[in-house]
Amino acid sequence: MDFSFQYVAFNDLRFTGKWDVHPWDSDCYPEELKNSIIHTGIIHPPYLLQRPDKTFEIVSGRKRLHIADKYLDSDKVGCFILAERFPEKSVLNVLLTDQSTSPFSLAEKARFIEIATGYMTKEEIIREFSGRLEIRKQPSVVDEMLKLLTLDVTILKEIHSGKLQFKMIGEILQIRDPEDRMALVTLFRNLSLGGGKQKKLFSLIRDLAGRSSTPISVFLNSDEIQRILNHEEMNPPQKAQHLGNFLQVKLTPSYLESKKKFTDFSKELELPKNFSLSHSQAFETDKITLAIVFKNSDECLQLLPKIKSAVMGKTEVSRLHSQKLESEG
């Protein structure tokens, strides 16, 4: 590669944002990164692209450079310099390699793809980068990733931080009203909800708001919901549970009664600790699932025949076993 190492004056640096893979947090940097640079300097040199006017465009390491300029007693900084005619496709490889010290977030992957579309076709992007970006090897993925960048910057920050779970992003993208999107993401953030709880709460909110043809943002701003969210004595997990129960009862009025009956029924069974009983979603059907946790595969192999025999009957188990032997024979 046609690049060198040299010390560059801070006054000669130019940040255009052209290669920035996380523009949503351009003014933020981790406290630990600042402390590291203050104590040991920049260990991992940034990459710069030389310009015709002898200045240097920042390709990567903007935060490192910002911290060094602000806190280090020096007017120069050591960087890797990409020659003026360095190919754009090669700059993309450098950018991806330099950023690979920490895994790309989903939002960063989308932004990298957006940058790459200025120099490559969808097919070329997939061929060159799908493996390193850990995305599907289909050109349609490019369009799917670019859709993320149409979201509000606040939502992009939640995706970047990993707080907005992958399962929810597709649902959020299907919501057309920006206010509804923001209302949901704000709710998830304030309640510190994980992926499963985000999905469950979203389903309840979507169904109830849809039932009354009410925008999600308006529905969430109702007095009943706001009383739960603004409760002074409940912490976020308690608010989330209370809100979930409230919405479930509103959607299926018999939910709490069914839940109590199921809980009482489970207690009466006095199941072993490695047994667990679960009901269908919102008691939509009468089906009940019994789950058994085995210590290991040996215990499973030892107990499974007895369980099968008890459930299916010895005659049926013997018949299935005979059929298996015949097929193997």
Side-chain angles (χ1 to χ4, degrees), residues 186-194 197 201 228-244:
T186 301
L187 176 70
F188 296 157
R189 182 182 62 222
N190 292 343
L191 295 181
S192 304
L193 296 178
K197 291 183 178 179
L201 209 58
I228 297 172
L229 298 180
N230 296 322
H231 198 287
E232 295 182 356
E233 297 179 5
M234 288 193 292
N235 58 32
Q238 291 171 331
K239 290 179 181 179
Q241 183 175 3
H242 194 57
L243 178 60

Side-chain angles (χ1 to χ4, degrees), residues 103-245:
F104 262 22
S105 70
L106 187 62
E108 286 174 323
K109 291 178 184 180
R111 171 57 183 154
F112 178 85
I113 287 174
E114 182 184 47
I115 296 170
T117 56
Y119 310 101
M120 306 170 70
T121 66
K122 296 176 185 178
E123 290 74 17
E124 287 175 325
I125 292 172
I126 293 300
R127 185 170 59 251
E128 292 289 329
F129 301 119
S130 60
R132 296 169 69 185
L133 290 174
E134 298 181 342
I135 58 177
R136 300 194 319 275
K137 295 183 178 181
Q138 299 169 357
S140 60
V141 172
V142 172
D143 293 324
E144 292 174 13
M145 297 294 280
L146 292 177
K147 283 182 181 178
L148 295 182
L149 301 178
T150 64
L151 294 169
D152 185 274
V153 65
T154 302
I155 301 178
L156 278 175
K157 288 181 179 180
E158 293 296 297
I159 295 173
H160 175 59
S161 67
K163 293 177 182 177
L164 185 60
Q165 300 299 313
F166 181 76
K167 295 178 181 178
M168 276 307 308
I169 295 172
E171 301 284 4
I172 294 294
L173 284 168
Q174 290 183 35
I175 299 173
R176 294 184 179 181
D177 191 329
E179 289 188 19
D180 287 350
R181 289 175 174 177
M182 188 61 64
L184 280 168
V185 172
T186 301
L187 176 70
F188 296 157
R189 182 182 62 222
N190 292 343
L191 295 181
S192 304
L193 296 178
K197 291 183 178 179
Q198 286 181 7
K199 181 74 173 177
K200 182 177 180 180
L201 209 58
F202 168 74
S203 297
L204 293 169
I205 293 168
R206 178 197 57 200
D207 292 348
L208 284 167
R211 177 189 286 180
S212 59
S213 299
T214 305
I216 289 175
S217 58
V218 174
F219 177 76
L220 290 177
N221 200 41
S222 67
D223 291 341
E224 292 173 308
I225 291 179
Q226 286 301 308
R227 273 197 294 271
I228 297 172
L229 298 180
N230 296 322
H231 198 287
E232 295 182 356
E233 297 179 5
M234 288 193 292
N235 58 32
Q238 291 171 331
K239 290 179 181 179
Q241 183 175 3
H242 194 57
L243 178 60
N245 287 337

Side-chain angles (χ1 to χ4, degrees), residues 79-93:
C79 300
F80 290 123
I81 309 299
L82 307 179
E84 182 182 331
R85 295 185 179 180
F86 201 80
E88 284 88 351
K89 291 183 181 179
S90 298
V91 176
L92 288 169
N93 271 297

Side-chain angles (χ1 to χ4, degrees), residues 253-303:
S254 63
Y255 175 77
L256 286 182
E257 182 182 354
S258 298
K259 186 175 182 180
K260 184 179 184 306
K261 288 181 178 178
F262 179 80
T263 301
D264 293 340
F265 172 71
S266 299
K267 290 180 179 178
E268 289 175 4
L269 295 178
E270 297 182 347
L271 295 170
K273 290 183 179 180
N274 60 323
F275 282 48
S276 62
L277 212 60
S278 59
H279 55 77
S280 63
Q281 176 69 30
F283 299 98
E284 292 172 356
T285 70
D286 293 332
K287 290 183 179 179
I288 293 176
T289 301
L290 175 66
I292 304 173
V293 178
F294 298 103
K295 294 179 182 178
N296 49 46
S297 58
D298 290 337
E299 184 182 59
C300 178
L301 290 171
Q302 179 184 356
L303 297 179

Side-chain angles (χ1 to χ4, degrees), residues 7-15 48 51 53-58 65 69 74-77:
Y7 283 88
V8 177
F10 285 110
N11 289 336
D12 291 334
L13 299 178
R14 300 292 180 267
F15 178 65
L48 310 177
R51 292 157 46 117
D53 62 359
K54 305 305 179 184
T55 60
F56 300 89
E57 184 175 4
I58 298 174
L65 291 168
D69 185 25
S74 176
D75 59 355
K76 292 185 177 182
V77 61

